[in-house]
Amino acid sequence: MANLLDQMIEQISREKHIEPQIIVAAIEDAMVVAARKYYKTDEDLRAKFNAETGQVDVYSVRAVVDEVADPKKEMTLSDARKVDPHTAVGGELLIPKPTAVLGRIAAQTAKQVIMQKVREAERDTIFNEYNGRVGELVNCIVKRFEGPDVIVDMGRTEARLPKREQSRLEAYNLGDRLRVVIKAVDRAAKGPQVIVSRADPVLVQRLFEMEVPEIYDGTVQIRAAAREAGERTKIAVLSRDKDVDPVGACVGMKGMRVQSIIRELRGEKIDIIPFSEDIVAFAQKSLSPAKVTRVQIVDPENHHLEVIVEDTQLSLAIGKKGQNVRLASKLIGWNVDIKSEEEKRQEIEAQMAALTAPGTSLSELTGVGPKTIEKIEAHGVSSIEKLADMTPEELTAIPGIGEKMVEKIQLSVAAYFQSIEQQQAEGAHAGELPADLEEQPGEGTQLASEEAATEEAPAAEEQVEAVSEPDGSAIAQEAAPDHADRAESESSSEETTGAAHTGEEPKEKSTEE
């Protein structure tokens, strides 16, 4: 019996990669649970595995005391010495409990407890082993599917390949052999604890380490990597030996090295870029295959760059759905704004126009005396617009201007801008046609109506319709002299009405005449 139990413990230890002492402790705990369930007692029970007999003995533990407070857990010295004459106060007495009477239900309970303890020990062992191997490249076989996730067999344990860690170009079948990188190890997961990935940039780095000896021995280093799995990857490489070309070492003769990695990634595109400590030079290289004109650092604290490219290179620099600039931004770790030469030129022109725009003279202000204006101008403020941007604190800082004068200046500035708004509103209202002119057509309109009734009406209609065509301006101008002859004797207001009816502008008509 002893040999049989020892063999079972050894077999479980070998299969589950668990220490035998852990299995023995699990068996002892299981026997305590089974005994407590059978005897229905609150006594302190303890189990011990006897390696010689192969039995697991269960004992009731009693503390030896002078006065008993809890008979289930304590015993007087006199009663204890009846069982063991060598017992002393403060010691423990182990009283054996029969285990042969536990029965089938207790045995089933013990089995469940043992299996649970073994599973917990196995999960702890897996966590301790694989937690230190995060980022390692391993081989595995597709074992089964659980919804969108793929469960793979790593030999010692199973691992999960979640949907988010799968490449878009790949489809998996049972029995497929895959190279994956260990992403994380989750102790609290219900299923497989190990999470593996086919979409992580680390996978590309590990594949390069396998294919490129210079990377494996440290001569060439991969300093940064950015990836959108299934579409494109950018890696930045640096050589520690000036005689070794880092990009050429990764590409290999006739591209053999990088092509093997592309085949492993199912045709994913890979850009290999030389790394540079100079962020400007690095940004220019990272946006390849586009050619960058110049790079400007906008905000060094917040890592913000502005990249200028030629107009023909703008779409190439941005990439399909912004992929190229997005990967470049991840690679260098800076926010990148891309602009064409034309966009940058227009932006600079707008800024220059705003700087050189003349302001309104301070003499236009009403209610502010000449001496006060001289004080303000001496302070470097020469226009009403600049004066309006100043705070009361800035105004009081001007020598000779107090708080009452500041209030007076602010009221004058507000009155000035209010008058400007009123003038604009009145001008817009004056540009509207009077209601009676809209309801009653002028003589020019009546003249056009009379022409529509004559035999030449179809030709006139064609001419008017041609005005709405994009290239019909010349046709519209040919029709103008006839109307001009008919309208020579009319007043200037009638000429304007006739021109509006035929689709001509008054200025164009005078030019034609």
Side-chain angles (χ1 to χ4, degrees):
M1 180 68 179
N3 292 334
L4 179 60
L5 188 56
D6 285 339
Q7 290 176 2
M8 292 178 62
I9 292 173
E10 184 179 353
Q11 181 180 357
I12 295 174
S13 174
R14 187 169 54 254
E15 291 178 353
K16 303 295 185 180
H17 302 281
I18 303 173
E19 294 294 331
Q21 293 81 0
I22 297 176
I23 301 174
V24 171
I27 294 174
E28 291 176 350
D29 292 343
M31 290 300 295
V32 170
V33 172
R36 180 170 283 110
K37 185 174 183 179
Y38 176 79
Y39 289 110
K40 298 179 181 178
T41 179
D42 296 333
E43 296 176 304
D44 288 340
L45 300 180
R46 185 180 300 170
K48 287 187 177 181
F49 172 68
N50 192 335
E52 296 179 357
T53 62
Q55 295 289 333
V56 181
D57 300 322
V58 179
Y59 301 93
S60 175
V61 182
R62 302 287 181 89
V64 180
V65 295
D66 292 330
E67 294 183 0
V68 176
D70 187 353
K72 294 182 179 180
K73 298 180 180 181
E74 297 174 346
M75 181 181 288
T76 61
L77 180 61
S78 59
D79 292 337
R81 286 185 172 176
K82 292 178 183 179
V83 181
D84 185 0
H86 302 288
T87 303
V89 175
E92 290 182 344
L93 185 65
L94 301 181
I95 301 174
K97 303 283 285 187
T99 57
V101 296
L102 294 181
R104 180 179 61 82
I105 297 177
Q108 187 68 22
T109 303
K111 178 182 177 182
Q112 293 175 356
V113 173
I114 291 172
M115 295 304 297
Q116 181 181 355
K117 294 289 185 181
V118 169
R119 282 195 298 268
E120 291 176 358
E122 183 182 10
R123 293 176 69 83
D124 290 340
T125 302
I126 291 172
F127 178 83
N128 294 331
E129 177 180 353
Y130 287 97
N131 191 44
R133 298 174 60 185
V134 173
E136 182 179 327
L137 184 69
V138 295
N139 296 320
C140 60
I141 300 174
V142 177
K143 189 172 183 180
R144 67 180 185 275
F145 299 93
E146 291 185 358
D149 298 347
V150 180
I151 306 301
V152 296
D153 186 4
M154 299 176 60
R156 296 242 347 233
T157 185
E158 291 181 348
R160 183 181 298 276
L161 180 62
K163 179 67 176 178
R164 65 179 182 276
E165 300 296 341
Q166 299 174 18
S167 176
R168 299 178 184 177
L169 295 181
E170 297 177 351
Y172 309 104
N173 300 310
L174 291 177
D176 286 353
R177 293 183 177 273
L178 301 176
R179 285 180 179 177
V180 297
V181 66
I182 299 175
K183 180 79 172 180
V185 183
D186 186 5
R187 185 193 290 269
K190 293 183 180 179
Q193 296 173 268
V194 182
I195 308 299
V196 295
S197 174
R198 287 277 299 176
D200 198 279
V202 178
L203 175 64
V204 182
Q205 298 184 37
R206 298 293 174 264
L207 291 174
F208 269 101
E209 290 175 1
M210 292 184 61
E211 294 292 336
V212 182
E214 290 84 353
I215 294 180
Y216 183 78
D217 62 19
T219 304
V220 176
Q221 297 178 339
I222 299 178
R223 297 298 299 271
R227 185 183 182 202
E228 291 190 0
E231 296 183 6
R232 198 179 200 92
T233 295
K234 287 180 181 285
I235 64 168
V237 292
L238 177 67
S239 176
R240 300 174 62 185
D241 187 347
K242 63 180 181 179
D243 296 330
V244 177
D245 178 20
V247 177
C250 295
V251 173
M253 185 176 294
K254 297 182 180 180
M256 292 179 61
R257 292 176 177 176
V258 72
Q259 285 299 326
S260 63
I261 298 175
I262 292 174
R263 285 194 297 271
E264 173 66 28
L265 300 177
R266 308 294 195 272
E268 183 175 318
K269 297 177 182 178
I270 299 178
D271 294 341
I272 305 173
I273 299 163
F275 178 80
S276 176
E277 295 290 349
D278 183 6
I279 191 63
V280 173
F282 189 26
Q284 288 179 332
K285 297 293 185 181
S286 65
L287 284 167
S288 64
K291 296 180 180 179
V292 177
T293 304
R294 62 185 182 277
V295 177
Q296 297 177 349
I297 298 178
V298 178
D299 189 351
E301 294 184 358
N302 296 324
H303 290 185
H304 189 189
L305 289 176
E306 184 180 73
V307 177
I308 310 300
V309 299
E310 295 181 1
D311 298 349
T312 57
Q313 295 286 312
L314 182 61
S315 59
L316 185 61
I318 295 175
K320 183 180 179 181
K321 297 180 180 179
Q323 184 185 77
N324 193 54
V325 66
R326 189 164 56 248
L327 287 174
S329 178
K330 292 179 182 178
L331 190 70
I332 64 179
W334 286 57
N335 297 322
V336 179
D337 288 342
I338 295 185
K339 297 179 181 178
S340 65
E341 292 280 5
E342 180 64 21
E343 290 174 344
K344 188 62 177 179
R345 185 184 63 79
Q346 293 177 357
E347 181 181 330
I348 293 174
E349 288 180 354
Q351 293 175 354
M352 293 299 295
L355 292 174
T356 59
T360 307
S361 175
L362 293 177
S363 60
E364 299 291 332
L365 281 178
T366 57
V368 179
K371 293 184 179 180
T372 305
I373 291 177
E374 289 179 2
K375 295 177 183 179
I376 296 173
E377 290 177 343
H379 196 68
V381 180
S382 58
S383 65
I384 298 177
E385 287 76 13
K386 290 183 180 180
L387 184 62
D389 293 335
M390 297 181 68
T391 62
E393 291 77 9
E394 293 174 341
L395 288 172
T396 53
I398 299 175
I401 295 181
E403 294 182 358
K404 292 184 178 180
M405 181 57 66
V406 168
E407 295 179 1
K408 188 175 181 181
I409 292 172
Q410 289 180 335
L411 291 174
S412 299
V413 171
Y416 170 77
F417 285 109
Q418 187 176 2
S419 64
I420 294 294
E421 293 177 358
Q422 290 177 353
Q423 290 176 8
Q424 292 176 349
E426 291 174 358
H429 182 70
E432 298 177 358
L433 290 174
D436 56 349
L437 187 59
E438 292 179 354
E439 294 175 358
Q440 298 179 1
E443 295 180 5
T445 307
Q446 294 176 2
L447 180 60
S449 301
E450 293 174 0
E451 290 178 357
T454 63
E455 296 178 355
E456 298 177 356
E461 290 176 1
E462 292 178 0
Q463 292 170 357
V464 175
E465 290 175 1
V467 177
S468 62
E469 297 296 329
D471 56 348
S473 57
I475 300 176
Q477 290 176 359
E478 289 175 2
D482 181 55
H483 289 279
D485 293 339
R486 294 173 182 267
E488 281 180 356
S489 60
E490 303 295 334
S491 63
S492 58
S493 61
E494 292 169 350
E495 289 179 358
T496 305
T497 310
H501 179 75
T502 57
E504 299 172 1
E505 296 292 335
K507 183 177 179 180
E508 294 178 357
K509 181 177 177 182
S510 62
T511 304
E512 185 66 31
E513 291 173 354

